[in-house]
Amino acid sequence: MSETAERDARHKARMQRKKALIDEKIAQAQDQYGLLLVHSGNGKGKSSSAFGMVARALGHGIKVGVVQFIKGAASTGEETFFRRFPEEVSYHVMGEGFTWETQDRQRDIAKAQEAWAVARHLLSDESVGLVVLDELNIALKHGYLELDTVLADIEARPLLQHVVVTGRGALPGMLEAADTVTEMSLVKHAFKSGVKAQKGIEF
């Protein structure tokens, strides 16, 4: 047997063993219910990942609700795109910009509470299969909302409704409550080299 053929045979044997293990895990995973997913960390891509899930849900005919807690001072590509589907996506931009721009904590608290009232409505709507709470972690980190109240409302949602929470600095209680947590780590960012935020990439 040639070296290439031997290597190919070893690869096939490894893949067969791996397939057997994965097939067994898939067979054991039979539960199905609405998940709470948290995207946190200092790296880019938390909201982008959530909006990728919005597109995926729409592809399956699932209605979606979006509430943005901090963003709102400037329009984004996601907002412009998903507003094309008003029957499928209930899109709510409730923030007034980053906290270092607003510089008014009481107003930020009021806006966050208004946003949570909208989120609570979506979380009680059985026709909505996916709810994205964009930058909610920031509002919680700054104390604009009570974590216990937020988690109670999320827990009380319809059985099959999925929720995605984004934003850096996720609180330990949010991480503990989540079914899936993804931490985006920053390796390198063009902004540190003096490159400004650009359409289609940052917003």
Side-chain angles (χ1 to χ4, degrees):
M1 182 182 292
S2 69
E3 183 178 343
T4 298
E6 186 176 340
R7 185 175 180 181
D8 290 346
R10 288 199 305 270
H11 172 79
K12 183 174 183 179
R14 279 198 310 273
M15 293 304 104
Q16 287 175 336
R17 290 194 299 272
K18 186 172 184 178
K19 176 174 169 44
L21 289 172
I22 292 174
D23 285 350
E24 183 180 354
K25 289 181 179 179
I26 291 173
Q28 291 173 352
Q30 293 299 313
D31 288 348
Q32 184 175 346
Y33 55 84
L35 300 177
L36 172 58
L37 302 96
V38 175
H39 300 165
S40 193
N42 293 328
K44 177 176 168 52
K46 298 178 286 293
S47 296
S48 300
S49 177
F51 284 113
M53 292 180 66
V54 172
R56 179 180 294 161
L58 293 178
H60 287 289
I62 297 170
K63 288 189 175 182
V64 179
V66 176
V67 181
Q68 293 190 292
F69 282 82
I70 302 298
K71 298 166 184 172
S75 181
T76 64
E78 296 96 334
E79 179 188 356
T80 301
F81 179 75
F82 287 116
R83 283 197 186 280
R84 298 177 185 175
F85 310 98
E87 298 300 318
E88 293 83 15
V89 183
S90 180
Y91 204 113
H92 305 271
V93 180
M94 305 294 292
E96 294 185 328
F98 296 110
T99 53
W100 62 85
E101 293 286 355
T102 59
Q103 300 181 13
D104 185 339
R105 186 171 185 273
Q106 291 306 314
R107 185 169 177 82
D108 289 342
I109 290 172
K111 294 300 293 184
Q113 291 176 347
E114 288 176 19
W116 191 250
V118 174
R120 183 181 287 120
H121 174 74
L122 292 170
L123 290 167
S124 66
D125 188 341
E126 292 188 359
S127 72
V128 178
L130 173 67
V131 177
V132 174
L133 304 172
D134 191 35
E135 304 292 358
L136 173 59
N137 285 331
I138 302 294
L140 290 168
K141 179 182 176 182
H142 287 294
Y144 300 164
L145 297 168
E146 292 292 333
L147 177 63
D148 288 347
T149 300
V150 166
L151 290 180
D153 288 339
I154 290 174
E155 179 66 24
R157 73 192 187 276
L159 179 63
L160 297 179
Q161 187 184 76
H162 303 294
V163 177
V164 185
V165 174
T166 76
R168 63 184 63 197
L171 297 179
M174 178 63 73
L175 298 178
E176 184 178 348
D179 297 288
T180 299
V181 177
T182 301
E183 186 84 6
M184 307 290 189
S185 61
L186 177 63
V187 176
K188 191 176 183 179
H189 200 297
F191 180 70
K192 291 190 175 182
S193 299
V195 181
K196 69 179 183 178
Q198 300 179 74
K199 290 181 179 180
I201 303 299
E202 276 78 32
F203 63 94

